[in-house]
Amino acid sequence: MTTLACIIRPSVPPARIVPLARAVEAAGIDEIWLWEDCFQTGGISTAGVILAATERVRVGIGVLPTPLRNVALTAMEIATIEGMFPGRLIPGIGHGVQPWMAQVGAKAASPLTLMREYSTTLRALLAGERVTTSGRYVRLDDVALDWPPAGAVPVPVAATGPKSLRLAGEVGDGVVLEGSVGLPGLPAVLEHLAAGRAAAGREDDAFPVIQFVSGGTGPDAAARLRAELTAWGRDVPDDTAMAGYAVWGDAGAIADGVRRFGTAGADTVAIQPTEDDPDLERLAAVLGEAQALLRQA
């Protein structure tokens, strides 16, 4: 069954995050996903607070920008949360939005090289290994975590272009796909991922595909979604075109939309509200009803 998740966007004020996360969990949804956008809420801090304020929901971070953090610090943060809340954190990593990385003086000349070095080193540290490495970007001298996770912590990688997607297939424990991929782009994405996995001999490894999909409910949902998708450069002149990038309507319609993405190859469909959604708690409740319908199928 395709997992239905709810995204809490970083534009949500920090004071609202815990009540909203509790509403998502109460609705019966299994996963909450976060963005980390400059210069809004922090991914690690937000994830930790949500996990402490809830009982069972898993929290995915989609994603932590690798140029912003030393890999040892990222490993420390992930291992600490995993030690407190085993199996409930899904820490995704990505290149970061390049203009923002330049704005903070952290832009890498070769994001692909950075990702290869970073992801390989992060996985080794989380596995309890002692690491010495001297790469172009990642340099560690005899580093090991005092409190490595007791079990494996999958680290998915965000990717968009063909080279990044192939690299995600090689070094990631899954992939996080932003909403621009949609149903039209998913077949090519899966081909690039498969090529990367084959090159690394990882065809048999678990590799979840996490797809962000715009969503909403209520009488104005379609209009809000169309306006936001159009502003982001999507060509959605009618409902048929918009259905390639969004799900909306009542619980049944949303469940049908999630099934479409699941059939196309997404393992997790993370519903992304519009920034102007007037009632996020109502959306969480409808997503919970859609989740119940998916479980019945």
Side-chain angles (χ1 to χ4, degrees), residues 80 210 242 292:
T80 300
I210 301 111
M242 193 162 74

Side-chain angles (χ1 to χ4, degrees), residues 169-171 195-203:
E170 287 185 50
V171 303
R197 295 173 69 193
R202 303 183 63 204
E203 297 97 327

Side-chain angles (χ1 to χ4, degrees), residues 17-76:
I17 289 173
V18 166
L20 181 55
R22 286 174 172 159
V24 172
E25 181 173 65
I29 297 167
D30 292 328
E31 291 183 6
I32 292 171
W33 278 80
L34 309 171
W35 299 357
E36 184 171 75
D37 274 0
C38 295
F39 301 92
Q40 298 179 317
T41 48
I44 290 288
S45 55
T46 303
V49 169
I50 290 174
L51 289 167
T54 55
E55 295 182 359
R56 58 160 189 83
V57 70
R58 296 185 297 274
V59 179
I61 305 176
V63 287
L64 299 169
T66 56
L68 279 178
R69 290 182 181 81
N70 183 283
V71 68
L73 177 60
T74 300
M76 290 162 56

